[in-house]
Amino acid sequence: MKIEKRWIISFILISIVAISGLFWKPTEALEGTQFNSADTIVTADVAWLLTSSCLVLLMTPGLSFFYGGMVGKKNVISTMLQSFICLGVVTLLWVVVGFSLAFGSSIGFTLNGTHYGIIGNPFEFAFFDQVGVLPHNEMASTIPFILFALFQMKFAVITPAIITGSFAERVRFISYLLFICLFTLLIYTPLCHMVWHPNGLLGSYFGVKDFAGGTVVHMSAGFAALAGVLVLGKRKNSEHIPTNIPFVLLGTGMLWFGWFGFNAGSALAANSTAALAFATTTVASASAMLTWIFFDRLHGRKVSALGACIGAVVGLVAITPAAGFITIPQSIFFGFIAAIASNKMLYWKKLKAIDDTLDVFACHGVGGIMGMVLTAIFAQGENASLLHGGWSVFLHHMIALVLVAAFTFFGAMLLYKITNSIIPLRVSEESEIIGLDLSQHDEKL
């Protein structure tokens, strides 16, 4: 059997990473300007962040069920694997260099005496160097730094997995692996740094409020999904019947359950903010789920389990950037308005025409946009949002929204084209007709 050169190269790369770990001499973190004493660790915070990390990890298998149940029977396994494989690919990338790019010392520019970061120093925390039991004094000062790194890793894992729903049923698996490596390193990590690092450009200069990833995760995935659809083109047969609605219900339940770690865990402590985020998360999702099915019925469509699930997820997406910043009654409105906006976008003929297989942009892209805009209007605190006198904050949010949309869309489009020039992204017409389960993985239901 002839083995393609690309698979040989892939095995060599993973071998280099594995073997280099044997010879890497890690540097222990020392107490001082960057790290606090172990005495500052709060055990309750550690317990909650360990739990939250597990919950967020569960979201990726949940997403695989959510997507897998929606596609045609010939593509269930391939679609689920595209989500699941991120647990392997992104985890290793994160340990080797991803965390350092996202949270290493800022590389950027200085303006009026203040340094603003665009990306982190790739060598500072490479192979989790200095990432140990001591807490970082600026990032999560009450938990071990390694726990903060692992919690953030789960966010990095699920982001490229979200994108997969847009080009389901037509992408070559090895090409997809290359793309998610490029996306994680060149789009996710700089965006994560700019929003969540203490010196990040979007968070520090623009004042962008993103409590748990509406901008970093959902907007980036949504716009990258839109770019992917435009680059790959439509499927040969864009009509399909969802294979397994119970899979979609199961996946939605796992996502909803895991989202408590996603949002409430982003308080980075077992405190009142975590409790508030926990409450706003489930209330917004409930509101969006009901709004979606009622809105469907007003337009002559029957109430469906699929619609209820999509609505619930849209509510979760929209509340993510604001979960710890708004009141519970306001979270009802977040779910309500986001569900209407996403529903209208999902049935928009022009979006349907480009064949976003599982409507990733309509749900995650639009949901993330609505969450960012609403956060800029309603976030609590002095000069925190438009309703609290923060006109400049609102304006900066809108500028940042445009910048993030452009960066993720055009950046992802460039990465798709680079990937396609190395390994063709799209499967052959014959493979698409057979189905990706058989043609790519030699497996079937």
Side-chain angles (χ1 to χ4, degrees):
M1 181 181 67
K2 184 180 179 180
I3 300 175
E4 294 178 340
K5 187 183 295 184
R6 63 194 64 161
W7 289 107
I8 297 174
I9 294 172
S10 299
F11 184 77
I12 291 173
L13 288 174
I14 187 66
S15 300
I16 291 171
V17 171
I19 294 170
S20 61
L22 293 175
F23 298 98
W24 188 272
K25 295 181 180 179
T27 304
E28 291 293 329
L30 300 175
E31 295 180 20
T33 56
Q34 195 171 15
F35 294 96
N36 293 333
S37 165
D39 295 337
T40 62
I41 292 175
V42 177
T43 54
D45 295 347
V46 174
W48 172 232
L49 264 295
L50 284 169
T51 304
S52 295
S53 298
C54 294
L55 290 171
V56 181
L57 185 147
L58 184 68
M59 292 174 69
T60 300
L63 184 71
S64 72
F65 276 103
F66 183 73
Y67 281 169
M70 291 186 189
V71 296
K73 189 174 182 179
K74 297 183 294 184
N75 298 291
V76 174
I77 296 170
S78 64
T79 301
M80 295 183 74
L81 180 60
Q82 285 169 14
S83 292
F84 206 82
I85 200 69
C86 291
L87 285 166
V89 175
V90 180
T91 293
L92 288 186
L93 281 177
W94 192 251
V95 170
V96 174
V97 70
F99 179 65
S100 201
L101 289 170
F103 291 99
S105 296
S106 290
I107 298 173
F109 60 93
T110 301
L111 183 65
N112 297 327
T114 303
H115 188 74
Y116 299 107
I118 295 174
I119 198 164
N121 180 348
F123 305 107
E124 186 171 9
F125 302 130
F127 282 92
F128 272 20
D129 201 43
Q130 300 185 75
V131 181
V133 297
L134 296 182
H136 195 281
N137 60 13
E138 289 187 291
M139 296 178 279
S141 59
T142 63
I143 62 173
F145 196 39
I146 191 169
L147 179 53
F148 174 76
L150 294 173
F151 178 67
Q152 291 293 341
M153 181 179 76
K154 306 306 187 296
F155 286 72
V157 165
I158 198 171
T159 305
I162 292 170
I163 302 170
T164 63
S166 63
F167 46 62
E169 304 187 329
R170 58 197 186 275
V171 71
R172 194 185 303 265
F173 187 70
I174 185 65
S175 306
Y176 165 69
L177 293 182
L178 175 57
F179 171 76
I180 61 176
C181 291
L182 295 175
F183 174 87
T184 301
L185 296 178
L186 300 177
I187 293 181
Y188 181 84
T189 57
L191 188 58
C192 180
H193 185 89
M194 286 188 283
V195 174
W196 283 334
H197 190 276
N199 298 323
L201 174 65
L202 294 177
S204 182
Y205 179 75
F206 284 92
V208 170
K209 294 180 179 298
D210 187 1
F211 188 77
T215 304
V216 176
V217 176
H218 298 290
M219 276 188 62
S220 68
F223 279 99
L226 183 61
V229 173
L230 294 174
V231 171
L232 269 80
K234 298 174 65 175
R235 291 166 291 167
K236 299 300 178 183
N237 178 18
S238 58
E239 298 295 330
H240 71 261
I241 299 173
T243 298
N244 196 322
I245 299 300
F247 268 20
V248 181
L249 287 162
L250 173 62
T252 304
M254 292 172 69
L255 284 168
W256 198 334
F257 181 64
W259 225 291
F260 292 126
F262 200 82
N263 285 2
S266 292
L268 300 178
N271 58 19
S272 58
T273 303
L276 175 63
F278 196 105
T280 56
T281 297
T282 200
V283 171
S285 185
S287 172
M289 178 172 63
L290 292 177
T291 301
W292 191 283
I293 62 174
F294 295 153
F295 197 68
D296 267 354
R297 198 71 191 96
L298 289 177
H299 286 77
R301 297 183 287 266
K302 289 187 177 180
V303 172
S304 67
L306 190 62
C309 290
I310 293 172
V313 171
V314 167
L316 292 166
V317 170
I319 197 61
T320 293
F325 301 139
I326 64 169
T327 66
I328 294 172
Q330 287 172 340
S331 70
I332 301 174
F333 180 76
F334 268 60
F336 170 79
I337 200 68
I340 293 175
S342 289
N343 189 291
K344 293 294 289 185
M345 186 61 71
L346 188 146
Y347 290 103
W348 188 32
K349 290 183 179 179
K350 290 186 177 180
L351 193 59
K352 283 291 185 185
I354 65 173
D355 194 18
D356 181 346
T357 310
L358 304 180
D359 303 302
V360 175
F361 179 73
C363 297
H364 291 271
V366 175
I369 291 170
M370 293 303 299
M372 188 175 185
V373 172
L374 292 171
T375 301
I377 296 173
F378 291 101
Q380 301 289 315
E382 185 179 356
N383 294 326
S385 63
L386 186 61
L387 291 185
H388 296 84
W391 283 95
S392 63
V393 173
F394 178 80
L395 179 61
H396 283 166
H397 266 76
M398 298 307 99
I399 296 172
L401 191 155
V402 174
L403 292 175
V404 170
F407 172 65
T408 53
F409 177 78
F410 291 110
M413 185 165 283
L414 177 62
L415 295 184
Y416 283 118
K417 291 183 180 295
I418 291 172
T419 302
N420 193 54
S421 68
I422 299 172
I423 311 171
L425 275 166
R426 185 148 184 168
V427 298
S428 66
E429 185 174 348
E430 181 184 1
S431 296
E432 189 174 335
I433 293 170
I434 294 170
L436 270 59
D437 290 358
L438 278 175
S439 66
Q440 295 290 294
H441 310 293
D442 200 22
E443 295 175 319
K444 63 180 181 178
L445 288 177

